[in-house]
Amino acid sequence: MTPRWPTSRFSGSLPRMTRTVILYAIALALALAALEWLQARYAVRAVSPELYISVLALAFTALGIWAGRRLTPRPAPTGPFERNEAAIRSLGLTPRECEILDLLASGRSNKELARSLGISPNTVKTHVARLYEKLGVDRRIRAVEEARALALIPRGDHSMG
């Protein structure tokens, strides 16, 4: 059996990273060519070695900072949470199922969910089972992770409350 690579998780970042690494390599090659040219012109002898090394260190530090900023992911926007209404429609989630999904993230039991919603625990179990089916998961934690990945519930916050 052929191994499957997790391309869906990294699909957009790999080409950008490759491009940045190639740019870094080109910059290093250009710097090396410039050094060879300077050495051929006897410019190195005219400048003190300490100054020469300091300029090189600053240039590579700046290049490293630039590459680091390009490769580091930006933090998510901190604005108010907006539900992914398109995902809700495509999954066929009802308003009650969305409410159950919000409460699932809080980690409470079915009985506690039933009490807070004023419905029976069996009704909660039915809603949870339908959520599992619609999200294609088999556990609460997977349902919460999938819901967060689809922007159905906010990340880090346990309820819309």
Side-chain angles (χ1 to χ4, degrees):
M1 185 172 169
T2 308
R4 291 185 51 188
W5 296 99
T7 56
S8 62
R9 190 182 301 170
F10 303 110
S11 62
S13 64
L14 191 58
R16 177 179 288 155
M17 186 182 307
T18 303
R19 187 174 56 233
T20 303
V21 169
I22 289 171
L23 285 174
Y24 199 135
I26 290 171
L28 288 173
L30 290 174
L32 181 62
L35 289 175
E36 290 296 325
W37 181 78
L38 286 174
Q39 190 173 12
R41 296 287 186 170
Y42 302 105
V44 175
R45 292 182 188 160
V47 179
S48 72
E50 291 82 13
L51 182 62
Y52 180 68
I53 291 171
S54 298
V55 169
L56 279 176
L58 283 174
F60 282 105
T61 301
L63 188 60
I65 290 171
W66 173 80
R69 292 184 60 118
R70 294 281 304 226
L71 294 174
T72 305
R74 302 281 184 255
T78 58
F81 174 73
E82 293 183 30
R83 268 192 212 270
N84 184 348
E85 296 296 330
I88 290 172
R89 282 191 304 276
S90 71
L91 291 170
L93 297 179
T94 65
R96 181 60 100 179
E97 288 170 339
C98 289
E99 195 174 0
I100 296 282
L101 196 52
D102 288 335
L103 294 173
L104 270 183
S106 68
R108 294 189 272 178
S109 70
N110 285 350
K111 278 186 179 180
E112 292 170 325
L113 296 180
R115 269 191 226 119
S116 67
L117 294 171
I119 58 178
S120 79
N122 287 335
T123 305
V124 171
K125 286 180 191 176
T126 302
H127 284 304
V128 170
R130 296 212 49 215
L131 278 169
Y132 288 177
E133 182 182 320
K134 290 178 179 182
L135 292 172
V137 298
D138 58 352
R139 301 190 176 99
R140 284 173 107 94
I141 190 70
R142 288 290 302 135
V144 171
E145 288 171 352
E146 187 68 20
R148 285 186 175 141
L150 294 171
L152 300 176
I153 58 176
R155 292 186 181 278
D157 188 12
H158 293 302
S159 66
M160 294 281 295

